[in-house]
Amino acid sequence: MSLAERVVSALTEIVGADNVRTDLRSREPYGVDALGQGRPPDLVVIPGSTGEVAAIARLCDERRVPLVVRGGGTGYSGGAVPTRGGVVVSMERFTRIIEIDERNLLAVVEPNVITAELQRAVERVGLFYPPDPASFEKSALGGNVAECAGGPRAFKYGTTRRYVLGLEAVLPTGEIIETGSKAVKNVVGYDLTQLLVGSEGTLAIITRITFRLVPKPPARATLLAVCADVQTAVAAVTALIERRVVPAAVELIDAESLQAVRDQFGHELAPATAGAVLIVESDGMQKAVDEEIEQVAQACRAVGATPVTLATSEAERERLWNARRLISPALRATGLLKINHDVVVPRGRIPELFGVIDELRVAYRLKIAAFGHAGDGNIHVNLMIDGGSSDERARAKAAERVLFERVVALEGSISGEHGIGFAKAQYLGIELSVEEIALMKRVKAAFDPNGILNPGKIFP
Ligand SMILES: Cc1cc2nc3c(=O)[nH]c(=O)nc-3n(C[C@H](O)[C@H](O)[C@H](O)COP(=O)(O)OP(=O)(O)OC[C@H]3O[C@@H](n4cnc5c(N)ncnc54)[C@H](O)[C@@H]3O)c2cc1C
C-alpha cells in the first residue's frame, strides 16, 4: 500500500468521497502537463475551501506524503506533475471571481479562474488585466502566479508579478497566511507575496489572489511585417527600440514555425518565401496609437521588411493572433517531439541569441523552430526531434546544455516564463551560484520543513 493510499480515508473525511479520485482512469489526466512527461499520482483530492486545503496539508505533512498542487495543467516544465507519487491537490473547484473593485482597480479571485475569464470580466467594465500567456483560454490564474506567467503583452505591461498585490495561501504545514494587501504600496516586512510569485507550487498553496488592474486601453492597432530572414526581423526590433517605441507586443515567428502553421492548419500568414514575420501591437489613446504604429511601420520598412501591413478589422487582427497561438499546436502536430525552451536574453543581445540557434542547428544537426516575445528577448527555442531516435535525443540533450550555457553567457536566463519544474532542475547550477541555491533551499525549508510540497522540483 502506498503512502498516499494510507491517507485515503482521512482525506475522504476532509473533502467527501465525491472529491477523491482513486481509480487509474480518473487519476491519469493529473499525471501529465504540457511537457508531456510524468506518471499519475496515487490519489487526487479536490478541495472546496481554504479550510479543506489546510486540513489536507496538515495531514500530508504529518504523514510525510508528497503533495502537488495543480491548476490548469498547462505548465511546460512538469511543475504540476508528481515525481514521487503522492497526492495531487487539484484546485478545480476554486473558480469564483470574488470581486471586481472598479473604484480601487482591483480584482479578487480564486486560483482556478481561467485567465481569459478574468480578462473578459474586467474588460466588460472598462478595465484590463494585461498578462496574456498564449494558453490563456486554459491556464488558471493560480498557475499563472505560481509560474509568473508572461505573454506577448509583457513587453509593455510586465509579467504576472506586476499585478499581484496580495495572496491568501496555505503553508505545507497547514497554517493559512494572508500576504500583501489591497493597497498598491506596502513595505511592511519581507515581501512574501512576491516570494510566492514564481515559486512553482513549492512554498505554499495559493487559495486567493488580489490583482491590480489598469484601465482598458481605448484603441489598438496591429501590424504584420514580413521579413526575408530572421536577421531582418531582429533588426526591426532593434530599430524600434532605438526609436524609443514600446508597443504592447512584439512577436517574432521564424520560417520553421510559419511552415508548421501553414502545413498543419493551412494558415497563410506570409508567403512561403518569408524567412520570418513580426506581429506588433500598439495600444493606448487613439492618437498615440496612430503615431506609434506609424513609427513601427517606418522602423520595419527601414530595415527592409516588406510588405508591412496594418490589420484593418478586428477579424484581421484576430487572424494574426490566432496564427501566433497556433504555433505550438502546429509544431506538435508535425509528429516530431517538441522540446520547448523559453530562454531569455537582454533585448540588445537577441541577434547573438539567433546566432547561437544557427550554430546549434549546424553543430548538432537539429531542426529548430524559434518564435516568441522578441520585444523582451524571450524566445521559445523548440528542438524538433524524432522521439524514437536515441541518436537524435542525445544530440538534442547536448544542444540543450550548450543553449543554456550560451544564454547565461549572454547575460540572460534559462527560463523567462515556464519555470524549472523537474524538466530543467539539472541545469539550475548553470545560472545560479552554489550560495544562491543554498539560500533558496533554506527558504524552502522555512516554508516546508518536511519537504512534502512538490518534491523534486526546481532543485537538482
Ligand atoms: C499552448 C501553450 C502556450 C503557452 N504560452 C505561454 C505563454 O505565452 N507565457 C507563459 O508564461 N506560459 C505559457 N505557457 C505555459 C503555461 O500555460 C503557464 O506556465 C501557466 O502559467 C500555467 O498555468 P496552469 O494553471 O496551467 O498551471 P499548472 O500547469 O497546473 O501548474 C503550474 C505550476 O503552478 C503550481 N500551481 C498551480 N496552481 C497553484 C496554486 N493554486 N498554488 C500554488 N501553486 C500552484 C503547480 O504546482 C505547478 O508547479 C503555455 C502553455 C501552453 C500549453
Side-chain angles (χ1 to χ4, degrees):
M1 193 191 264
S2 73
L3 266 178
E5 282 158 356
R6 270 185 259 152
V7 291
V8 67
S9 59
L11 287 172
T12 306
E13 262 177 47
I14 297 169
V15 296
D18 285 351
N19 296 306
V20 179
R21 306 277 182 273
T22 53
D23 63 296
L24 181 61
R25 240 179 111 194
S26 313
R27 286 184 284 121
E28 256 168 0
Y30 298 90
V32 72
D33 65 1
L35 180 69
Q37 295 171 27
R39 66 185 181 92
D42 299 310
L43 281 179
V44 178
V45 283
I46 311 174
S49 69
T50 302
E52 288 182 5
V53 174
I56 295 166
R58 223 174 293 121
L59 179 79
C60 289
D61 188 55
E62 276 164 17
R63 310 274 180 96
R64 307 288 191 266
V65 176
L67 190 160
V68 180
V69 196
R70 185 178 180 93
T74 67
Y76 261 134
S77 52
V81 178
T83 53
R84 302 181 190 165
V87 174
V88 159
V89 174
S90 172
M91 302 302 283
E92 62 202 74
R93 289 167 68 200
F94 284 73
T95 55
R96 272 188 321 139
I97 296 179
I98 298 166
E99 180 187 5
I100 296 175
D101 179 346
E102 295 180 51
R103 237 179 87 199
N104 291 307
L105 304 179
L106 298 174
V108 182
V109 302
E110 291 184 338
N112 257 51
V113 172
I114 298 302
T115 316
E117 276 173 25
L118 178 66
Q119 288 176 341
R120 285 192 279 266
V122 302
E123 285 180 33
R124 280 196 286 275
V125 295
L127 296 174
F128 195 48
Y129 174 69
D132 59 341
S135 50
F136 71 137
E137 291 286 0
K138 288 192 177 140
S139 69
L141 290 161
N144 292 169
V145 172
E147 295 289 357
C148 189
R153 293 199 289 239
F155 183 43
K156 174 172 173 180
Y157 290 100
T159 59
T160 301
R161 181 177 299 291
R162 197 186 283 181
Y163 299 89
V164 184
L165 286 178
L167 297 169
E168 176 191 80
V170 174
L171 301 182
T173 37
E175 299 93 328
I176 299 168
I177 57 167
E178 300 231 11
T179 73
S181 68
K182 284 189 169 179
V184 290
K185 291 179 170 180
N186 185 332
V187 291
V188 179
Y190 297 130
D191 194 339
L192 296 177
T193 309
Q194 292 299 328
L195 180 58
L196 293 182
V197 177
S199 64
E200 301 192 39
T202 63
L203 297 182
I205 305 162
I206 298 161
T207 47
R208 199 175 63 221
I209 310 160
T210 302
F211 283 117
R212 188 171 75 86
L213 304 171
V214 295
K216 185 179 170 195
R220 65 187 169 196
T222 311
L223 165 155
L224 177 74
V226 178
C227 304
D229 45 39
V230 165
Q231 287 69 25
T232 307
V234 171
V237 176
T238 308
L240 284 183
I241 291 162
E242 279 169 4
R243 285 170 188 244
R244 303 290 179 260
V245 177
V246 181
V250 180
E251 294 288 296
L252 185 154
I253 309 174
D254 79 350
E256 293 277 359
S257 311
L258 287 170
Q259 187 66 38
V261 176
R262 191 179 298 120
D263 289 349
Q264 304 303 325
F265 298 109
H267 201 311
E268 284 289 346
L269 195 57
T273 49
V277 300
L278 282 181
I279 301 176
V280 185
E281 186 158 286
S282 288
D283 67 6
M285 305 302 275
Q286 185 69 58
K287 196 162 171 290
V289 168
D290 291 345
E291 280 174 24
E292 188 172 83
I293 207 74
E294 180 51 31
Q295 287 268 356
V296 173
Q298 282 178 19
C300 292
R301 289 192 187 107
V303 298
T306 183
V308 176
T309 47
L310 211 60
T312 52
S313 64
E314 186 53 32
E316 226 176 284
R317 171 185 177 272
E318 192 42 43
R319 200 182 76 86
L320 297 181
W321 283 116
N322 190 35
R324 163 65 184 86
R325 287 193 286 267
L326 284 175
I327 300 172
S328 279
L331 290 173
R332 271 180 203 289
T334 59
L336 294 171
L337 180 64
K338 170 177 176 288
I339 305 176
N340 178 359
H341 296 303
D342 70 315
V343 296
V344 55
V345 294
R347 274 169 215 140
R349 307 201 77 165
I350 300 178
E352 291 166 83
L353 173 60
F354 275 96
V356 171
I357 296 170
D358 279 341
E359 284 176 38
L360 294 177
R361 277 197 185 104
V362 177
Y364 295 92
R365 290 175 286 122
L366 290 171
K367 202 174 156 103
I368 302 181
F371 66 92
H373 319 307
D376 43 35
N378 187 193
I379 301 295
H380 298 293
V381 180
N382 295 273
L383 313 183
M384 304 295 298
I385 65 163
D386 171 1
S389 156
S390 54
D391 172 53
E392 229 169 280
R393 273 182 181 273
R395 279 187 274 125
K397 196 85 199 145
E400 149 177 309
R401 173 168 282 278
V402 175
L403 172 69
F404 292 154
E405 286 169 353
R406 298 285 296 275
V407 159
V408 171
L410 291 173
E411 301 172 284
S413 172
I414 65 174
S415 178
E417 44 184 38
H418 294 165
I420 298 300
F422 66 77
K424 283 172 231 149
Q426 60 187 300
Y427 301 119
L428 201 68
I430 294 178
E431 184 166 333
L432 302 181
S433 68
V434 172
E435 292 77 12
E436 281 171 297
I437 295 174
L439 177 58
M440 287 185 190
K441 283 185 172 171
R442 293 203 293 277
V443 172
K444 164 74 175 162
F447 275 80
D448 184 14
N450 296 312
I452 61 143
L453 191 60
N454 218 353
K457 307 297 166 63
I458 301 183
F459 300 108

